Amino acid sequence: MPPFRTPIKHCRNCGTAVVYRVPDDGDTRERAVCPACATIHYENPLNVVGTVPYWGDKVLLCKRNIEPRWGKWTLPAGFMELGETTIEGAARETDEEAGAQVVMEGLLSVVSVPRVGQVHLFYLARLLSEKFNPGHETLEARLFAEAEIPWDEIAFKTVRETLLRYFEDRRQGRFSVHNLDVS
Ligand SMILES: [Zn+2]
């Protein structure tokens, strides 16, 4: 999860330095407004999409080869790209980070992270093989049973919370969608 976005400095339309003010159109929040061409730059939360890839009673985690949280374990996840659906993005990230092929299943968690302006969505995903081919962002991809999960070495709270719900649901024999907030 990257740090909060840096403020917009220049107009995306004409390049003039923007000013932060409440627009005159009834808006109630400060926006980056261009004094030259009047373009208002709206900034809204970004979606991070990922999977909980499972194989029998084990889940696939990736050891990060990138900052932040280099060397910590995470579920495959990343920013959604324009032009793709949440499910397509989650499957793409799973392929890019773990080289894992999956059958996408239901939504497991929707996690709001207002501090950084993000919403994370994790889908259950059934692995088609236990052979992985991690990309450059991943040092190692491997399967963990619940008792083996390195809870103190999990990179992000959103991943930790999602994994906890996954194992709880698994014990109860039914999966549902969990709406979570992390700070
Ligand atoms: Zn402008």
Side-chain angles (χ1 to χ4, degrees):
M1 182 163 31
F4 205 66
R5 279 163 273 168
T6 50
I8 293 171
K9 291 198 180 70
H10 296 95
C11 176
R12 195 182 284 173
N13 184 43
C14 75
T16 302
V18 298
V19 293
Y20 272 81
R21 66 174 179 82
V22 179
D24 310 319
D25 60 1
D27 203 338
T28 56
R29 289 172 179 258
E30 283 202 340
R31 313 282 182 189
V33 180
C34 177
C37 77
T39 298
I40 303 169
H41 300 80
Y42 296 96
E43 294 179 272
N44 301 99
L46 294 174
N47 291 327
V48 169
V49 289
T51 57
V52 181
Y54 67 90
W55 178 262
D57 64 351
K58 296 182 172 181
V59 297
L60 174 65
L61 296 180
C62 296
K63 193 171 196 176
R64 290 172 64 80
N65 191 29
I66 48 172
E67 295 291 352
R69 319 283 164 84
W70 184 92
K72 303 288 188 192
W73 292 91
T74 189
L75 289 164
F79 288 111
M80 238 179 127
E81 298 287 358
L82 295 174
E84 70 186 2
T85 66
T86 54
I87 286 179
E88 287 166 352
R92 175 183 52 72
E93 289 290 344
T94 305
D95 185 27
E96 286 176 6
E97 294 189 359
Q101 303 309 309
V102 293
V103 174
M104 297 294 294
E105 297 183 341
L107 184 62
L108 182 70
S109 67
V110 178
V111 194
S112 289
V113 195
R115 184 175 55 82
V116 291
Q118 296 177 4
V119 178
H120 295 206
L121 298 101
F122 286 93
Y123 289 86
L124 285 173
R126 181 167 55 83
L127 285 161
L128 291 172
S129 144
E130 52 184 324
K131 296 264 186 290
F132 312 122
N133 180 24
H136 68 280
E137 294 182 7
T138 302
L139 290 167
E140 183 186 355
R142 60 164 278 212
L143 295 168
F144 290 86
E146 184 175 7
E148 302 167 336
I149 300 277
W151 292 106
D152 295 336
E153 298 290 316
I154 299 296
F156 303 111
K157 273 192 206 170
T158 56
V159 169
R160 180 188 166 81
E161 293 296 320
T162 296
L163 283 171
L164 287 168
R165 296 322 186 286
Y166 170 79
F167 287 114
E168 269 173 34
D169 280 8
R170 200 186 147 75
R171 271 194 295 279
Q172 297 190 6
R174 60 185 286 275
F175 291 95
S176 52
V177 181
H178 300 272
N179 290 289
L180 309 168
D181 302 331
V182 309
S183 54

